[in-house]
């Protein structure tokens, strides 16, 4: 009886310690949401009650997880981005694309009736303790946290883009930290460092300029008394970033910058079809996994590229190829017999399989981290965004062979396949990096949950940098350098005046003495 009472008390205390968390993830990219879904599920498993706004409601119920606002889907990018359609991601500077195409339009969802009802009548039993928002282009959703008067936590599904560091006053040293819109790696030469500074500065400016309209949107849909978008961004207490030092390099960071790279690499709820498992088990000579992610349709590529893939992949038989193709009937004829296509593939299960020998990828961060997690070497063919730097970093670390789509030939594809299959240095480097990537005090999910709880328990300012109170020129110590320079110049001037006076005085005395001697 006493034991039952103790267990009941523990259960009650556990429930009392649970928090209520609102997650706001309006972007339509499934590859982004996979991280946020696992983040919210990790919090739900810890006993917290999580409510989610997104375009991706769960297909199956999950304890403590509620899709409280299901946004309408204007046009889903899932398996729907053609070769021609990719041009929208390369049609301008990264900062401009992120704000105008991937940010501002989503702010209009602040007027969604479900969200409006939530803002006017937020839950009170219990109320929200924190709001988690995606840090990408639609930072306007931070206004929800401001209205609810709770801490705001950011979550980035990529390494942090250059315009986001200032939200938490995270330092960036452009001498050795290339921004993730460039394909530079460490040890930049002078011209690369110069370009890194100019490129970073311009993208920060263009993002701010193009996203200023978000101030009007939040005041239209929520309240005309709200602060502007720049002030709302500064209310972010912490950012959970999908990066890790083993892959993204050593950087100067503050405690509010929390790396949780690979948080999405989880097998929970991922089902492996029996037919696919049998195909992988029967691949006695191994197989290569080929996917360009959840958005891009390989079948929409020009015939010259598909023919290169067909010819090169056919030559590696009896090694098999598992290829993610949304609509295989749209492929041209001539697919090699050793290539097996599927419209949906449980990627983590495939990359974990002992018979997988390599991964042909576009270099998306999610897939790259999954391959690193399981120690699988890659052939990378970047298409847009941060894929170029992801592949260049992998090439530097000998886990990836990088190819350029613009200059791709059958001979280059053949050489890459031969090297990745026959040169052991790539698999050995991938296994070594995998060990380093996974060697942490806590795994990515535990880290994210710990720091979310930390902000809730200790307040929005618990990790806030003192640099947030300073202007950019004060942070860079320009006022101090200016004072020291002016002081030095004044001191130099005074010294020169004194020396001239003394010199003049000495000369005058010498002249008087000389006149006395003559007389």
């Amino acid at each position: 009886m006493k034991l039952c009472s103790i267990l009941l008390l523990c259960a009650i205390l556990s429930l009392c310690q649970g928090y209520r968390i609102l997650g706001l993830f309006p972007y339509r990219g499934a590859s982004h949401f996979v991280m946020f879904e696992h983040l919210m599920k990790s919090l739900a498993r810890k006993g917290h009650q999580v409510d989610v706004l997104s375009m991706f409601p769960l297909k199956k119920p999950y304890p403590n997880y509620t899709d409280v606002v299901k946004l309408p889907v204007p046009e889903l990018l899932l398996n729907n981005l053609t070769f021609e359609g990719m041009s929208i991601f390369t049609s301008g500077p990264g900062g401009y694309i992120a704000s105008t195409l991937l940010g501002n339009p989503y702010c209009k969802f602040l007027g969604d009736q479900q969200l409006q009802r939530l803002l006017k009548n937020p839950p009170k039993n219990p109320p929200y303790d924190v709001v988690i928002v995606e840090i990408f282009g639609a930072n306007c959703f931070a206004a929800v946290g401001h209205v609810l008067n709770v801490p705001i936590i950011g979550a980035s599904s990529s390494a942090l883009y250059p315009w986001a560091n200032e939200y938490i006053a995270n330092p960036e040293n452009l001498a050795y930290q290339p921004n993730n819109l460039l394909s530079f790696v460490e040890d930049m030469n002078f011209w690369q460092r110069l370009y890194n500074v100019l490129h970073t500065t311009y993208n920060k400016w263009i993002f701010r300029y193009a996203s200023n309209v978000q101030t009007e949107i939040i005041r239209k849909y929520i309240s005309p008394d709200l602060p502007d978008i720049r002030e709302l961004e500064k209310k972010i207490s912490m950012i959970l970033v999908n990066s890790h030092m083993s892959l993204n390099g050593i950087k100067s960071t503050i405690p509010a910058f929390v790396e949780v790279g690979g948080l999405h690499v989880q097998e929970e709820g991922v089902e492996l079809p029996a037919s696919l498992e049998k195909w992988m088990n029967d691949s006695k000579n191994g197989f290569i996994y080929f996917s360009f992610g959840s958005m891009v349709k390989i079948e929409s590529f020009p015939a010259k590229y598909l023919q290169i893939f067909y010819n090169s992949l056919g030559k590696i038989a009896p090694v098999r190829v598992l290829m993610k193709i949304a609509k295989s009937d749209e492929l041209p004829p001539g697919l090699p017999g050793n290539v097996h296509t599927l419209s949906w593939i449980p990627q983590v299960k495939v990359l974990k399989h002992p018979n997988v020998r390599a991964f042909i990828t576009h270099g998306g961060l999610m897939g790259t981290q999954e391959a690193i997690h399981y120690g699988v070497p890659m052939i990378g063919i970047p298409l847009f965004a941060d894929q170029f730097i992801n592949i260049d970093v992998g090439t530097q670390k000998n886990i990836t062979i990088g190819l350029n789509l613009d200059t791709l030939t059958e001979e280059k594809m053949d050489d890459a396949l031969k090297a990745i299959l026959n040169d052991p240095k790539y698999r050995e480097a991938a296994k070594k990096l995998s060990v380093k990537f996974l060697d942490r005090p806590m795994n990515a999910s535990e880290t994210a949950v710990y720091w979310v709880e930390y902000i809730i328990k200790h307040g929005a300012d618990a990790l806030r940098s003192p640099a947030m109170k300073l202007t950019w020129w004060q942070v860079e110590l320009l006022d101090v350098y200016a004072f020291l320079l002016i002081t030095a110049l004044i001191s130099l001037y005074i010294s020169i005046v004194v020396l001239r006076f003394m010199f003049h005085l000495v000369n005058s005395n010498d002249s008087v003495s000389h006149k006395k001697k003559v007389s």
Side-chain angles (χ1 to χ4, degrees), residues 81-85 296-303 306 330-331:
L81 187 61
T82 64
F83 184 84
E84 292 77 16
V296 176
K297 294 177 66 177
I298 296 177
E299 58 271 32
S300 72
F301 276 45
L306 293 176
E330 294 182 7
L331 283 172

Side-chain angles (χ1 to χ4, degrees), residues 105-342:
Y106 294 90
C107 292
K108 294 176 182 176
F109 286 127
L110 289 170
D112 181 87
Q113 291 183 354
Q114 303 166 82
L115 180 56
Q116 285 290 314
R117 285 195 295 269
L118 184 68
L119 287 172
K120 291 172 182 174
N121 296 290
K124 295 182 176 60
N125 189 27
Y128 287 120
D129 295 291
V130 72
V131 166
I132 301 177
V133 299
E134 178 176 9
I135 298 300
F136 188 42
N139 299 329
C140 51
F141 278 81
V144 175
H146 177 78
V147 171
L148 296 175
N149 195 28
V150 296
I152 304 165
I153 291 175
S156 174
S157 61
S158 66
L160 211 56
Y161 284 105
W163 49 85
N165 282 296
E166 62 190 38
Y167 305 163
I168 53 173
N170 191 57
E172 52 181 349
N173 191 322
L174 298 177
Y176 67 92
Q177 295 178 9
N179 78 60
N180 62 334
L181 293 169
L182 295 174
S183 59
F184 300 157
V185 291
E186 295 175 2
D187 302 324
M188 294 179 287
N189 61 37
F190 171 80
W191 299 111
Q192 288 174 327
R193 286 186 285 117
L194 175 62
Y195 188 75
N196 186 37
V197 170
L198 297 175
H199 186 272
T200 301
T201 302
Y202 177 70
N203 272 279
K204 285 180 178 180
W205 175 83
I206 196 67
F207 180 86
R208 291 193 203 104
Y209 175 79
S211 63
N212 278 336
V213 68
Q214 294 186 20
T215 298
E216 299 175 19
I217 298 174
I218 58 179
R219 288 174 178 171
K220 173 184 176 181
Y221 289 114
I222 300 180
S223 169
D225 299 324
L226 282 176
D228 65 33
I229 187 63
R230 303 286 84 93
E231 288 302 311
L232 286 173
E233 288 169 346
K234 292 177 182 177
K235 290 181 177 292
I236 294 170
S237 299
M238 174 184 75
I239 303 178
L240 302 171
V241 185
N242 189 25
S243 63
H244 188 258
M245 60 182 179
S246 63
L247 178 62
N248 302 95
I250 305 300
K251 302 181 188 301
S252 303
T253 61
I254 62 171
F257 179 99
V258 179
E259 289 195 307
V260 291
L263 183 149
H264 68 287
V265 188
Q266 300 184 30
E267 296 180 57
E268 182 192 28
V270 180
E271 298 177 1
L272 182 63
S275 58
L276 176 57
E277 185 173 22
K278 183 179 185 305
W279 185 91
M280 292 191 293
N281 291 338
D282 291 344
S283 301
K284 302 304 181 184
N285 294 289
F287 68 91
I288 286 179
Y289 174 49
F290 189 160
S291 172
F292 280 170
S294 62
M295 299 193 304
V296 176
K297 294 177 66 177
I298 296 177
E299 58 271 32
S300 72
F301 276 45
K304 65 175 182 178
Y305 296 123
L306 293 176
Q307 197 58 53
I308 290 173
F309 296 149
Y310 281 17
N311 294 344
S312 293
L313 294 175
K315 294 174 189 175
I316 64 172
V319 176
R320 290 169 148 189
V321 179
L322 176 62
M323 200 170 184
K324 187 249 175 190
I325 300 292
K327 296 180 180 178
S328 57
D329 57 331
E330 294 182 7
L331 283 172
L335 190 70
N338 64 324
V339 178
H340 179 54
T341 66
L342 287 173

